[in-house]
Amino acid sequence: MQRDNASHSHENDRSSEPWKQRQSQQQNPNRQHWANQGQPYPYQGQPASQHNAHPPYENHGSPYAAQPRQLPPNQHQNSSNARPNGRRRISKAEYRRAQRRIWVQIGLTLAVILLVVSLAVFGVVKLFSSFTHKVEAPPEPPANPILNPDASSEPSESVTQPEPTVADPVQTQELLAQADHLAAGYDYDAALELLQSYGDHWMEQEGFQAASERYQAEKAKLVRWPDTTQITHIFFHSLIADTARAFDSDYTNDGYNQYMATVDEFRAILEELYRRGFVLVRMHDVATFTTGEDGQQRYVQGDIYLPPDKKPIIISQDDVNYYEYMVDGDEDHFADAQGDGFATRLVVGEDGYPTCEYITAQGETVYGEYDIVPILESFCQEHPDFSYRGARAILGVTGYQGVFGYRTHPDWRTILGEQAYEQEHAQAKLVSQCLKDKGWEIASHSFGHPAYGEISDERVIADVAKWEDQVQPVVGDTDIFLYPYGSDIAGLEEYSGAKFDALYGAGYRYFCNVDSAQYWT
Protein backbone atom coordinates (compact mmCIF):
# COMPACT_ATOMS: atom_id res chain seq x y z
CA MET A 1 0.00 0.00 0.00
CA GLN A 2 2.85 2.40 0.63
CA ARG A 3 4.31 1.76 -2.77
CA ASP A 4 0.93 2.59 -4.33
CA ASN A 5 0.67 5.81 -2.39
CA ALA A 6 4.12 6.87 -3.44
CA SER A 7 3.33 6.19 -7.12
CA HIS A 8 0.13 8.24 -7.04
CA SER A 9 1.86 11.05 -5.32
CA HIS A 10 4.69 11.14 -7.86
CA GLU A 11 2.40 11.07 -10.87
CA ASN A 12 -0.38 13.40 -9.77
CA ASP A 13 0.95 15.86 -7.23
CA ARG A 14 0.54 19.22 -8.95
CA SER A 15 2.98 20.87 -6.60
CA SER A 16 5.92 18.66 -7.72
CA GLU A 17 8.60 20.32 -9.87
CA PRO A 18 8.47 17.94 -12.86
CA TRP A 19 4.76 18.54 -13.25
CA LYS A 20 5.29 22.33 -13.18
CA GLN A 21 7.86 22.10 -15.90
CA ARG A 22 5.65 20.01 -18.17
CA GLN A 23 2.65 22.24 -17.51
CA SER A 24 4.64 25.33 -18.38
CA GLN A 25 5.84 23.87 -21.64
CA GLN A 26 2.39 22.66 -22.63
CA GLN A 27 0.63 25.92 -21.89
CA ASN A 28 3.14 28.37 -23.36
CA PRO A 29 5.54 26.80 -25.83
CA ASN A 30 5.83 29.96 -27.98
CA ARG A 31 6.71 32.12 -24.99
CA GLN A 32 9.73 29.96 -24.49
CA HIS A 33 10.49 30.12 -28.23
CA TRP A 34 10.43 33.91 -28.38
CA ALA A 35 12.55 34.17 -25.29
CA ASN A 36 15.14 31.81 -26.74
CA GLN A 37 15.31 33.81 -30.00
CA GLY A 38 15.78 37.09 -28.19
CA GLN A 39 13.00 38.60 -30.28
CA PRO A 40 10.16 40.78 -29.11
CA TYR A 41 6.97 38.99 -28.29
CA PRO A 42 4.21 39.50 -30.90
CA TYR A 43 2.35 42.76 -30.56
CA GLN A 44 5.18 44.40 -28.69
CA GLY A 45 5.60 47.89 -30.10
CA GLN A 46 2.48 47.65 -32.31
CA PRO A 47 -0.40 50.04 -32.15
CA ALA A 48 -3.24 49.13 -29.91
CA SER A 49 -5.57 49.27 -32.91
CA GLN A 50 -3.83 46.28 -34.36
CA HIS A 51 -4.22 44.44 -31.08
CA ASN A 52 -7.91 45.15 -31.03
CA ALA A 53 -8.35 44.36 -34.68
CA HIS A 54 -7.26 40.83 -34.18
CA PRO A 55 -8.15 39.68 -30.63
CA PRO A 56 -6.33 36.39 -30.09
CA TYR A 57 -9.27 34.61 -28.46
CA GLU A 58 -12.87 35.21 -27.74
CA ASN A 59 -13.00 33.06 -24.62
CA HIS A 60 -11.29 35.08 -21.93
CA GLY A 61 -10.05 33.21 -18.87
CA SER A 62 -8.95 30.24 -20.98
CA PRO A 63 -5.60 28.64 -20.07
CA TYR A 64 -4.60 29.36 -23.64
CA ALA A 65 -5.51 33.04 -23.62
CA ALA A 66 -2.88 35.47 -24.90
CA GLN A 67 -0.47 32.67 -25.82
CA PRO A 68 1.30 33.21 -29.16
CA ARG A 69 1.86 30.21 -31.31
CA GLN A 70 4.57 29.69 -33.89
CA LEU A 71 3.31 27.79 -36.83
CA PRO A 72 5.25 24.83 -38.05
CA PRO A 73 7.13 25.36 -41.29
CA ASN A 74 4.77 23.20 -43.29
CA GLN A 75 1.68 25.14 -42.23
CA HIS A 76 0.58 27.93 -44.61
CA GLN A 77 0.00 31.39 -43.23
CA ASN A 78 -3.18 31.70 -45.22
CA SER A 79 -4.84 28.77 -43.41
CA SER A 80 -8.37 29.37 -42.42
CA ASN A 81 -7.39 29.22 -38.74
CA ALA A 82 -4.35 31.40 -39.09
CA ARG A 83 -4.11 34.80 -37.56
CA PRO A 84 -1.61 37.59 -38.16
CA ASN A 85 1.85 37.19 -36.65
CA GLY A 86 1.58 33.37 -36.52
CA ARG A 87 -1.15 33.11 -33.98
CA ARG A 88 -3.92 30.51 -34.45
CA ARG A 89 -7.45 30.72 -33.23
CA ILE A 90 -8.69 27.53 -31.52
CA SER A 91 -12.18 26.24 -31.71
CA LYS A 92 -14.66 25.99 -28.88
CA ALA A 93 -14.51 22.19 -29.05
CA GLU A 94 -10.75 22.22 -28.51
CA TYR A 95 -11.19 24.59 -25.59
CA ARG A 96 -13.79 22.38 -23.98
CA ARG A 97 -11.63 19.32 -24.44
CA ALA A 98 -8.73 21.09 -22.77
CA GLN A 99 -10.96 22.18 -19.94
CA ARG A 100 -12.27 18.65 -19.45
CA ARG A 101 -8.71 17.31 -19.26
CA ILE A 102 -7.93 19.79 -16.50
CA TRP A 103 -11.02 18.84 -14.50
CA VAL A 104 -10.23 15.14 -14.94
CA GLN A 105 -6.74 15.73 -13.61
CA ILE A 106 -8.16 17.67 -10.66
CA GLY A 107 -10.69 14.89 -9.97
CA LEU A 108 -8.04 12.16 -10.09
CA THR A 109 -5.81 14.14 -7.78
CA LEU A 110 -8.61 14.64 -5.28
CA ALA A 111 -9.51 10.93 -5.45
CA VAL A 112 -5.92 9.90 -4.74
CA ILE A 113 -5.70 12.35 -1.85
CA LEU A 114 -8.97 11.04 -0.41
CA LEU A 115 -7.77 7.42 -0.74
CA VAL A 116 -4.47 8.18 1.01
CA VAL A 117 -6.25 10.02 3.85
CA SER A 118 -8.76 7.17 4.26
CA LEU A 119 -6.01 4.56 4.45
CA ALA A 120 -4.11 6.64 6.99
CA VAL A 121 -7.20 7.08 9.19
CA PHE A 122 -8.00 3.36 8.96
CA GLY A 123 -4.45 2.45 10.01
CA VAL A 124 -4.53 4.78 13.00
CA VAL A 125 -7.88 3.38 14.18
CA LYS A 126 -6.65 -0.19 13.77
CA LEU A 127 -3.48 0.52 15.72
CA PHE A 128 -5.38 2.24 18.54
CA SER A 129 -7.90 -0.59 18.85
CA SER A 130 -5.09 -3.14 19.18
CA PHE A 131 -3.92 -1.37 22.36
CA THR A 132 -7.34 -0.81 23.91
CA HIS A 133 -8.99 -4.17 23.27
CA LYS A 134 -7.83 -7.60 24.33
CA VAL A 135 -7.78 -10.28 21.76
CA GLU A 136 -10.58 -12.67 22.51
CA ALA A 137 -9.33 -16.20 23.06
CA PRO A 138 -10.95 -18.91 21.01
CA PRO A 139 -13.61 -20.82 22.95
CA GLU A 140 -12.48 -24.00 24.64
CA PRO A 141 -13.92 -27.22 23.29
CA PRO A 142 -16.60 -28.88 25.43
CA ALA A 143 -15.44 -31.43 27.96
CA ASN A 144 -17.49 -34.18 26.32
CA PRO A 145 -18.07 -33.18 22.69
CA ILE A 146 -20.77 -34.97 20.75
CA LEU A 147 -19.02 -36.66 17.87
CA ASN A 148 -20.52 -37.27 14.48
CA PRO A 149 -21.46 -40.97 14.52
CA ASP A 150 -20.61 -41.23 10.83
CA ALA A 151 -17.17 -39.74 11.29
CA SER A 152 -14.07 -41.76 12.02
CA SER A 153 -13.00 -42.00 15.65
CA GLU A 154 -9.37 -41.62 14.62
CA PRO A 155 -7.99 -38.11 15.21
CA SER A 156 -7.35 -36.05 12.11
CA GLU A 157 -3.73 -35.71 11.09
CA SER A 158 -4.20 -31.96 10.73
CA VAL A 159 -5.16 -31.56 14.42
CA THR A 160 -2.23 -31.01 16.74
CA GLN A 161 -2.58 -33.14 19.85
CA PRO A 162 -1.28 -31.71 23.17
CA GLU A 163 1.97 -33.23 24.24
CA PRO A 164 2.27 -34.67 27.77
CA THR A 165 4.25 -32.73 30.33
CA VAL A 166 7.89 -33.77 30.49
CA ALA A 167 8.44 -34.59 34.14
CA ASP A 168 11.50 -34.78 36.31
CA PRO A 169 11.74 -38.50 37.22
CA VAL A 170 13.15 -37.70 40.65
CA GLN A 171 10.31 -35.29 41.40
CA THR A 172 7.59 -37.70 40.31
CA GLN A 173 9.06 -40.57 42.29
CA GLU A 174 9.30 -38.44 45.42
CA LEU A 175 5.67 -37.38 44.99
CA LEU A 176 4.65 -40.99 44.47
CA ALA A 177 6.52 -42.06 47.61
CA GLN A 178 4.73 -39.40 49.67
CA ALA A 179 1.37 -40.49 48.29
CA ASP A 180 2.13 -44.12 49.09
CA HIS A 181 2.98 -43.12 52.66
CA LEU A 182 -0.40 -41.37 53.03
CA ALA A 183 -2.23 -44.33 51.54
CA ALA A 184 -0.43 -46.71 53.90
CA GLY A 185 -1.97 -44.69 56.76
CA TYR A 186 -5.46 -45.23 55.26
CA ASP A 187 -5.77 -41.65 54.00
CA TYR A 188 -6.46 -42.58 50.40
CA ASP A 189 -8.23 -39.34 49.56
CA ALA A 190 -5.20 -37.28 50.61
CA ALA A 191 -2.93 -39.59 48.58
CA LEU A 192 -5.02 -39.08 45.43
CA GLU A 193 -5.11 -35.31 45.95
CA LEU A 194 -1.33 -35.28 46.25
CA LEU A 195 -0.91 -37.07 42.92
CA GLN A 196 -3.44 -34.78 41.25
CA SER A 197 -1.57 -31.76 42.55
CA TYR A 198 1.09 -32.55 39.93
CA GLY A 199 -1.05 -31.00 37.19
CA ASP A 200 -3.24 -31.79 34.20
CA HIS A 201 -1.07 -34.66 33.00
CA TRP A 202 -0.65 -36.39 36.34
CA MET A 203 -2.14 -39.66 35.06
CA GLU A 204 0.53 -39.82 32.35
CA GLN A 205 3.41 -39.88 34.84
CA GLU A 206 5.11 -43.17 35.52
CA GLY A 207 3.32 -45.17 38.21
CA PHE A 208 0.62 -42.57 38.90
CA GLN A 209 -2.26 -44.37 37.20
CA ALA A 210 -1.41 -47.70 38.82
CA ALA A 211 -1.15 -46.01 42.21
CA SER A 212 -4.51 -44.28 41.73
CA GLU A 213 -6.22 -47.57 40.91
CA ARG A 214 -4.55 -49.27 43.87
CA TYR A 215 -5.63 -46.52 46.29
CA GLN A 216 -9.25 -46.72 45.18
CA ALA A 217 -9.29 -50.50 45.43
CA GLU A 218 -7.85 -50.43 48.96
CA LYS A 219 -10.24 -47.70 50.06
CA ALA A 220 -13.18 -49.84 48.96
CA LYS A 221 -12.10 -52.54 51.45
CA LEU A 222 -12.28 -50.26 54.51
CA VAL A 223 -15.05 -50.69 57.04
CA ARG A 224 -16.29 -48.27 59.68
CA TRP A 225 -15.37 -49.11 63.27
CA PRO A 226 -18.80 -49.85 64.74
CA ASP A 227 -18.42 -48.53 68.29
CA THR A 228 -15.79 -46.00 69.31
CA THR A 229 -16.57 -46.54 72.99
CA GLN A 230 -14.87 -49.89 72.53
CA ILE A 231 -11.34 -48.57 71.97
CA THR A 232 -8.42 -49.48 74.21
CA HIS A 233 -6.39 -46.63 75.72
CA ILE A 234 -3.02 -47.40 77.33
CA PHE A 235 -0.68 -44.87 78.91
CA PHE A 236 2.98 -44.74 79.88
CA HIS A 237 5.31 -42.58 81.91
CA SER A 238 8.81 -41.53 80.84
CA LEU A 239 10.96 -44.48 79.77
CA ILE A 240 14.05 -45.65 81.62
CA ALA A 241 17.04 -45.45 79.30
CA ASP A 242 19.70 -46.61 81.80
CA THR A 243 18.46 -49.31 84.17
CA ALA A 244 21.72 -49.32 86.15
CA ARG A 245 21.20 -45.74 87.27
CA ALA A 246 17.42 -46.10 87.70
CA PHE A 247 17.60 -49.14 89.98
CA ASP A 248 20.52 -48.13 92.17
CA SER A 249 18.94 -49.13 95.50
CA ASP A 250 17.51 -45.72 96.45
CA TYR A 251 13.96 -44.78 97.40
CA THR A 252 12.75 -44.57 93.80
CA ASN A 253 13.35 -48.22 92.89
CA ASP A 254 9.89 -49.50 93.73
CA GLY A 255 8.10 -46.64 92.04
CA TYR A 256 10.15 -46.99 88.86
CA ASN A 257 9.54 -50.72 88.81
CA GLN A 258 5.78 -50.29 89.20
CA TYR A 259 5.05 -47.26 87.03
CA MET A 260 7.83 -47.04 84.45
CA ALA A 261 8.83 -49.06 81.41
CA THR A 262 12.26 -49.27 79.86
CA VAL A 263 13.18 -48.26 76.33
CA ASP A 264 13.55 -51.89 75.30
CA GLU A 265 10.21 -52.85 76.86
CA PHE A 266 8.40 -50.09 75.04
CA ARG A 267 9.89 -51.14 71.73
CA ALA A 268 8.73 -54.70 72.35
CA ILE A 269 5.23 -53.48 73.23
CA LEU A 270 5.00 -51.54 69.97
CA GLU A 271 6.03 -54.59 67.98
CA GLU A 272 3.40 -56.71 69.71
CA LEU A 273 0.65 -54.14 69.19
CA TYR A 274 1.55 -53.94 65.53
CA ARG A 275 1.57 -57.72 65.18
CA ARG A 276 -1.92 -57.92 66.68
CA GLY A 277 -3.32 -55.44 64.17
CA PHE A 278 -3.70 -52.38 66.37
CA VAL A 279 -3.71 -48.97 64.68
CA LEU A 280 -2.98 -45.73 66.52
CA VAL A 281 -5.82 -43.16 66.40
CA ARG A 282 -6.29 -39.69 67.84
CA MET A 283 -8.61 -38.81 70.67
CA HIS A 284 -10.45 -36.50 68.27
CA ASP A 285 -11.12 -39.46 65.94
CA VAL A 286 -13.11 -41.16 68.70
CA ALA A 287 -15.81 -38.49 69.06
CA THR A 288 -16.66 -35.33 67.13
CA PHE A 289 -18.59 -32.24 68.13
CA THR A 290 -21.69 -31.58 66.03
CA THR A 291 -24.98 -29.69 66.00
CA GLY A 292 -28.10 -31.83 65.72
CA GLU A 293 -31.26 -31.15 63.77
CA ASP A 294 -32.81 -29.82 66.98
CA GLY A 295 -30.07 -27.18 67.19
CA GLN A 296 -28.45 -28.80 70.22
CA GLN A 297 -24.68 -29.29 70.22
CA ARG A 298 -23.43 -32.69 71.26
CA TYR A 299 -20.65 -35.21 70.73
CA VAL A 300 -21.22 -38.19 68.47
CA GLN A 301 -19.06 -41.17 67.67
CA GLY A 302 -16.42 -40.46 65.08
CA ASP A 303 -15.98 -42.21 61.75
CA ILE A 304 -12.89 -44.42 61.76
CA TYR A 305 -12.44 -46.54 58.61
CA LEU A 306 -9.97 -49.41 58.82
CA PRO A 307 -9.39 -52.74 57.10
CA PRO A 308 -11.46 -55.57 58.63
CA ASP A 309 -8.43 -57.10 60.38
CA LYS A 310 -7.37 -53.85 62.10
CA LYS A 311 -8.56 -52.25 65.36
CA PRO A 312 -7.96 -48.79 66.83
CA ILE A 313 -5.95 -47.96 69.95
CA ILE A 314 -5.03 -44.76 71.83
CA ILE A 315 -1.62 -44.27 73.47
CA SER A 316 -0.79 -41.47 75.89
CA GLN A 317 2.18 -40.47 78.05
CA ASP A 318 1.77 -38.74 81.40
CA ASP A 319 4.17 -36.25 82.96
CA VAL A 320 6.24 -35.29 79.90
CA ASN A 321 8.08 -32.84 82.13
CA TYR A 322 11.31 -34.64 83.13
CA TYR A 323 11.07 -33.78 86.81
CA GLU A 324 14.15 -32.94 88.85
CA TYR A 325 14.02 -36.13 90.91
CA MET A 326 14.51 -38.08 87.67
CA VAL A 327 17.38 -36.11 86.11
CA ASP A 328 19.12 -34.15 88.90
CA GLY A 329 21.43 -36.27 91.06
CA ASP A 330 23.22 -33.54 93.01
CA GLU A 331 20.00 -31.58 93.68
CA ASP A 332 21.16 -28.29 92.17
CA HIS A 333 18.00 -28.16 90.04
CA PHE A 334 19.86 -29.01 86.81
CA ALA A 335 20.15 -32.30 84.93
CA ASP A 336 23.45 -34.12 85.36
CA ALA A 337 25.21 -37.49 85.03
CA GLN A 338 24.04 -38.47 88.52
CA GLY A 339 20.42 -38.56 87.35
CA ASP A 340 18.43 -41.80 87.16
CA GLY A 341 19.00 -42.52 83.49
CA PHE A 342 16.02 -40.72 81.91
CA ALA A 343 15.94 -38.30 78.99
CA THR A 344 16.36 -34.72 80.20
CA ARG A 345 14.19 -32.80 77.68
CA LEU A 346 12.55 -32.84 74.26
CA VAL A 347 14.23 -30.91 71.46
CA VAL A 348 13.69 -30.36 67.75
CA GLY A 349 16.26 -32.43 65.86
CA GLU A 350 18.26 -31.37 62.83
CA ASP A 351 15.79 -33.26 60.63
CA GLY A 352 12.89 -31.22 62.00
CA TYR A 353 11.43 -34.07 64.04
CA PRO A 354 11.17 -34.17 67.85
CA THR A 355 13.88 -36.08 69.67
CA CYS A 356 15.43 -36.31 73.16
CA GLU A 357 18.37 -34.80 74.96
CA TYR A 358 20.13 -37.29 77.24
CA ILE A 359 23.09 -37.10 79.60
CA THR A 360 25.10 -40.30 79.80
CA ALA A 361 26.68 -41.71 82.98
CA GLN A 362 29.96 -40.21 81.75
CA GLY A 363 28.42 -36.74 81.60
CA GLU A 364 28.19 -36.51 77.79
CA THR A 365 25.11 -34.81 76.34
CA VAL A 366 23.72 -36.74 73.39
CA TYR A 367 20.53 -36.74 71.34
CA GLY A 368 18.39 -39.60 70.14
CA GLU A 369 15.63 -42.10 70.93
CA TYR A 370 15.65 -42.11 74.74
CA ASP A 371 11.91 -41.71 75.35
CA ILE A 372 8.48 -42.40 73.84
CA VAL A 373 8.27 -39.46 71.42
CA PRO A 374 11.26 -40.21 69.14
CA ILE A 375 10.81 -43.99 69.43
CA LEU A 376 7.14 -43.92 68.44
CA GLU A 377 7.85 -41.34 65.72
CA SER A 378 10.45 -43.60 64.12
CA PHE A 379 8.16 -46.63 64.44
CA CYS A 380 5.33 -44.83 62.63
CA GLN A 381 7.69 -43.72 59.89
CA GLU A 382 8.82 -47.31 59.43
CA HIS A 383 5.28 -48.72 59.76
CA PRO A 384 2.89 -46.04 58.43
CA ASP A 385 0.01 -48.53 58.62
CA PHE A 386 0.33 -48.42 62.42
CA SER A 387 -0.86 -44.79 62.37
CA TYR A 388 -4.36 -43.83 61.24
CA ARG A 389 -3.97 -40.78 58.99
CA GLY A 390 -0.81 -39.61 60.72
CA ALA A 391 -2.00 -40.03 64.32
CA ARG A 392 0.52 -40.06 67.17
CA ALA A 393 0.11 -40.26 70.96
CA ILE A 394 -1.26 -37.83 73.55
CA LEU A 395 1.31 -36.06 75.73
CA GLY A 396 0.09 -34.90 79.15
CA VAL A 397 2.02 -32.12 80.91
CA THR A 398 1.83 -30.54 84.33
CA GLY A 399 3.31 -27.13 85.15
CA TYR A 400 4.88 -27.06 88.60
CA GLN A 401 8.36 -27.81 87.19
CA GLY A 402 7.91 -26.54 83.66
CA VAL A 403 7.11 -28.48 80.48
CA PHE A 404 9.06 -30.86 78.22
CA GLY A 405 12.13 -30.45 80.46
CA TYR A 406 12.22 -26.65 80.18
CA ARG A 407 12.03 -24.65 83.39
CA THR A 408 9.09 -22.42 82.56
CA HIS A 409 7.71 -22.08 86.11
CA PRO A 410 7.89 -18.44 87.28
CA ASP A 411 10.25 -19.38 90.14
CA TRP A 412 12.95 -20.11 87.56
CA ARG A 413 13.00 -16.51 86.42
CA THR A 414 15.12 -15.69 89.50
CA ILE A 415 17.25 -18.85 89.31
CA LEU A 416 18.11 -18.56 85.61
CA GLY A 417 17.92 -14.81 85.06
CA GLU A 418 15.57 -12.98 82.75
CA GLN A 419 17.33 -13.72 79.46
CA ALA A 420 17.86 -17.44 80.10
CA TYR A 421 14.31 -17.79 81.40
CA GLU A 422 12.84 -16.24 78.25
CA GLN A 423 15.00 -18.55 76.16
CA GLU A 424 13.57 -21.57 78.04
CA HIS A 425 10.08 -20.34 77.17
CA ALA A 426 10.96 -19.86 73.51
CA GLN A 427 12.50 -23.32 73.17
CA ALA A 428 9.51 -24.99 74.83
CA LYS A 429 7.17 -23.24 72.39
CA LEU A 430 9.20 -24.48 69.42
CA VAL A 431 9.02 -28.05 70.70
CA SER A 432 5.28 -27.77 71.27
CA GLN A 433 4.65 -26.53 67.74
CA CYS A 434 6.86 -29.22 66.24
CA LEU A 435 4.93 -31.92 68.09
CA LYS A 436 1.57 -30.67 66.92
CA ASP A 437 2.81 -30.36 63.35
CA LYS A 438 3.80 -34.04 63.40
CA GLY A 439 0.42 -35.27 64.65
CA TRP A 440 0.92 -35.34 68.41
CA GLU A 441 -1.84 -34.14 70.75
CA ILE A 442 -1.04 -32.20 73.93
CA ALA A 443 -3.21 -32.52 77.02
CA SER A 444 -3.39 -31.03 80.47
CA HIS A 445 -2.34 -33.36 83.29
CA SER A 446 -3.24 -30.64 85.83
CA PHE A 447 -0.80 -28.05 87.13
CA GLY A 448 0.35 -29.55 90.45
CA HIS A 449 -0.62 -33.22 89.89
CA PRO A 450 -3.26 -33.50 92.68
CA ALA A 451 -5.94 -36.22 92.75
CA TYR A 452 -8.94 -34.27 91.47
CA GLY A 453 -11.41 -36.84 92.77
CA GLU A 454 -10.15 -36.40 96.34
CA ILE A 455 -9.46 -32.67 96.73
CA SER A 456 -11.90 -29.84 97.31
CA ASP A 457 -13.73 -27.89 94.66
CA GLU A 458 -11.67 -24.80 95.50
CA ARG A 459 -8.36 -26.60 94.95
CA VAL A 460 -9.54 -27.98 91.62
CA ILE A 461 -10.66 -24.53 90.52
CA ALA A 462 -7.29 -23.00 91.53
CA ASP A 463 -5.27 -25.76 89.87
CA VAL A 464 -7.17 -25.44 86.61
CA ALA A 465 -6.59 -21.68 86.64
CA LYS A 466 -2.83 -22.08 87.20
CA TRP A 467 -2.47 -24.42 84.24
CA GLU A 468 -4.36 -22.01 82.02
CA ASP A 469 -2.23 -19.11 83.24
CA GLN A 470 1.26 -20.64 83.12
CA VAL A 471 1.22 -23.71 80.84
CA GLN A 472 -1.34 -22.93 78.17
CA PRO A 473 0.65 -19.91 76.86
CA VAL A 474 3.58 -22.27 76.23
CA VAL A 475 1.95 -25.39 74.77
CA GLY A 476 -1.18 -23.83 73.31
CA ASP A 477 -4.82 -24.50 73.95
CA THR A 478 -6.17 -28.03 74.43
CA ASP A 479 -9.49 -29.72 75.15
CA ILE A 480 -8.06 -33.00 76.53
CA PHE A 481 -7.64 -33.61 80.26
CA LEU A 482 -5.73 -36.61 81.69
CA TYR A 483 -6.61 -37.06 85.37
CA PRO A 484 -3.57 -37.24 87.72
CA TYR A 485 -3.47 -40.71 89.27
CA GLY A 486 -6.51 -41.44 87.14
CA SER A 487 -8.62 -39.81 89.86
CA ASP A 488 -11.90 -38.91 88.15
CA ILE A 489 -14.28 -36.27 89.54
CA ALA A 490 -17.28 -38.57 89.07
CA GLY A 491 -18.22 -42.20 88.57
CA LEU A 492 -20.55 -43.51 85.91
CA GLU A 493 -23.03 -40.73 86.51
CA GLU A 494 -23.20 -37.55 84.45
CA TYR A 495 -20.62 -34.87 85.10
CA SER A 496 -21.86 -31.91 87.15
CA GLY A 497 -20.86 -29.64 89.98
CA ALA A 498 -18.17 -27.01 90.59
CA LYS A 499 -15.21 -29.18 89.54
CA PHE A 500 -16.79 -30.00 86.24
CA ASP A 501 -17.81 -26.39 85.69
CA ALA A 502 -14.19 -25.31 86.21
CA LEU A 503 -12.87 -27.88 83.73
CA TYR A 504 -15.60 -27.32 81.18
CA GLY A 505 -15.26 -23.56 81.48
CA ALA A 506 -11.54 -23.88 80.69
CA GLY A 507 -12.43 -25.63 77.43
CA TYR A 508 -11.92 -29.32 78.28
CA ARG A 509 -14.19 -31.75 76.45
CA TYR A 510 -12.29 -35.07 76.55
CA PHE A 511 -11.61 -36.58 80.01
CA CYS A 512 -9.41 -39.64 80.57
CA ASN A 513 -9.07 -41.50 83.85
CA VAL A 514 -7.31 -44.75 84.73
CA ASP A 515 -9.27 -47.97 84.93
CA SER A 516 -8.60 -51.68 84.80
CA ALA A 517 -11.38 -52.31 82.28
CA GLN A 518 -10.37 -53.27 78.76
CA TYR A 519 -12.16 -50.28 77.21
CA TRP A 520 -12.45 -46.95 78.97
CA THR A 521 -11.78 -43.52 77.60
Side-chain angles (χ1 to χ4, degrees):
M1 185 63 70
Q2 290 181 354
R3 288 194 300 270
D4 292 341
N5 288 341
S7 174
H8 289 299
S9 175
H10 178 71
E11 293 176 1
N12 300 300
D13 190 353
R14 297 177 66 94
S15 64
S16 66
E17 189 62 24
W19 190 91
K20 284 184 177 181
Q21 293 174 356
R22 292 194 299 272
Q23 178 93 345
S24 175
Q25 293 173 4
Q26 291 172 2
Q27 290 183 352
N28 201 359
N30 287 328
R31 184 183 298 276
Q32 184 70 24
H33 171 76
W34 287 106
N36 291 340
Q37 296 298 323
Q39 299 177 8
Y41 192 72
Y43 302 114
Q44 279 186 323
Q46 296 183 7
S49 60
Q50 296 183 15
H51 294 206
N52 296 332
H54 302 283
Y57 300 102
E58 296 177 2
N59 296 309
H60 300 287
S62 166
Y64 290 92
Q67 292 186 7
R69 177 178 177 84
Q70 183 181 8
L71 296 177
N74 59 353
Q75 184 173 349
H76 300 286
Q77 294 291 331
N78 59 357
S79 171
S80 60
N81 291 329
R83 284 296 183 95
N85 298 321
R87 297 187 63 195
R88 185 179 69 89
R89 181 177 180 178
I90 64 174
S91 66
K92 291 184 179 180
E94 288 179 320
Y95 169 77
R96 284 193 292 268
R97 283 196 298 271
Q99 196 172 36
R100 280 197 298 272
R101 282 195 300 269
I102 292 173
W103 284 112
V104 168
Q105 290 177 352
I106 293 174
L108 289 175
T109 301
L110 292 175
V112 171
I113 293 174
L114 181 61
L115 177 62
V116 172
V117 171
S118 300
L119 292 175
V121 171
F122 178 77
V124 170
V125 172
K126 194 73 173 178
L127 181 63
F128 179 76
S129 64
S130 67
F131 283 102
T132 56
H133 296 82
K134 294 182 179 179
V135 178
E136 183 178 359
E140 295 184 358
N144 296 303
I146 301 176
L147 302 178
N148 183 356
D150 298 330
S152 173
S153 60
E154 295 295 328
S156 173
E157 295 182 357
S158 61
V159 178
T160 303
Q161 300 295 330
E163 297 182 358
T165 304
V166 179
D168 179 1
V170 176
Q171 178 188 2
T172 56
Q173 291 307 307
E174 288 179 352
L175 198 66
L176 186 59
Q178 295 173 14
D180 285 343
H181 189 84
L182 290 171
Y186 316 104
D187 198 349
Y188 299 105
D189 291 338
L192 286 170
E193 289 178 4
L194 183 61
L195 293 183
Q196 293 169 1
S197 69
Y198 180 85
D200 294 337
H201 301 284
W202 69 275
M203 286 286 283
E204 300 171 9
Q205 308 312 313
E206 182 180 359
F208 279 29
Q209 181 174 357
S212 174
E213 295 172 355
R214 185 173 67 255
Y215 300 159
Q216 296 181 52
E218 293 296 326
K219 180 183 177 181
K221 299 177 184 178
L222 301 180
V223 294
R224 184 180 182 274
W225 186 254
D227 187 0
T228 59
T229 65
Q230 303 297 302
I231 295 178
T232 299
H233 178 179
I234 58 176
F235 83 98
F236 298 85
H237 287 102
S238 296
L239 302 180
I240 299 171
D242 186 348
T243 56
R245 285 189 286 169
F247 301 104
D248 56 359
S249 301
D250 61 12
Y251 72 97
T252 58
N253 281 10
D254 292 340
Y256 290 163
N257 189 44
Q258 183 176 359
Y259 300 115
M260 309 298 190
T262 67
V263 168
D264 292 339
E265 288 170 346
F266 182 73
R267 292 184 187 277
I269 291 171
L270 287 181
E271 291 289 351
E272 185 63 21
L273 291 174
Y274 182 67
R275 186 187 68 81
R276 295 188 185 189
F278 283 100
V279 177
L280 195 60
V281 299
R282 296 180 180 87
M283 179 63 70
H284 291 87
D285 294 326
V286 174
T288 58
F289 192 65
T290 186
T291 302
E293 295 180 357
D294 57 357
Q296 297 296 318
Q297 294 181 331
R298 60 176 61 88
Y299 279 87
V300 297
Q301 292 194 27
D303 296 323
I304 300 175
Y305 288 89
L306 292 171
D309 59 339
K310 300 292 185 180
K311 44 188 175 289
I313 190 173
I314 294 174
I315 294 177
S316 65
Q317 179 183 356
D318 288 356
D319 302 292
V320 190
N321 300 83
Y322 306 105
Y323 298 122
E324 291 180 25
Y325 78 89
M326 300 163 58
V327 300
D328 176 21
D330 58 10
E331 299 183 355
D332 65 349
H333 307 295
F334 296 96
D336 52 46
Q338 289 75 44
D340 288 343
F342 292 89
T344 57
R345 63 173 61 187
L346 288 176
V347 297
V348 179
E350 294 181 355
D351 59 355
Y353 283 87
T355 189
C356 287
E357 178 188 272
Y358 176 73
I359 300 177
T360 68
Q362 293 74 35
E364 181 184 5
T365 301
V366 295
Y367 300 90
E369 298 180 0
Y370 298 101
D371 200 7
I372 286 177
V373 169
I375 295 174
L376 182 56
E377 184 66 48
S378 295
F379 191 85
C380 291
Q381 292 292 331
E382 183 180 356
H383 305 285
D385 56 335
F386 182 68
S387 169
Y388 181 71
R389 300 185 177 183
R392 297 296 187 265
I394 304 169
L395 304 177
V397 294
T398 62
Y400 67 94
Q401 284 191 357
V403 297
F404 305 136
Y406 296 91
R407 305 314 177 206
T408 57
H409 190 281
D411 291 348
W412 283 84
R413 188 185 301 271
T414 302
I415 298 172
L416 297 176
E418 186 67 28
Q419 183 175 357
Y421 178 74
E422 292 299 329
Q423 187 175 0
E424 290 280 301
H425 262 262
Q427 291 297 321
K429 288 180 179 180
L430 288 177
V431 170
S432 177
Q433 188 61 52
C434 175
L435 289 167
K436 288 186 283 188
D437 290 344
K438 303 305 181 184
W440 298 79
E441 294 181 298
I442 299 175
S444 170
H445 193 42
S446 80
F447 182 83
H449 206 282
Y452 271 34
E454 300 176 6
I455 63 175
S456 66
D457 295 350
E458 291 75 19
R459 286 190 61 190
V460 169
I461 294 171
D463 189 85
V464 170
K466 276 189 176 182
W467 199 95
E468 292 295 309
D469 181 58
Q470 297 183 30
V471 182
Q472 190 272 344
V474 179
V475 302
D477 204 5
T478 181
D479 56 3
I480 305 173
F481 191 86
L482 307 179
Y483 285 111
Y485 306 109
S487 179
D488 203 336
I489 62 173
L492 297 178
E493 68 274 10
E494 293 268 342
Y495 273 150
S496 63
K499 294 180 182 180
F500 173 69
D501 291 343
L503 291 166
Y504 193 87
Y508 299 110
R509 299 295 183 268
Y510 299 86
F511 303 88
C512 304
N513 59 13
V514 177
D515 192 274
S516 59
Q518 182 180 1
Y519 307 114
W520 189 259
T521 297

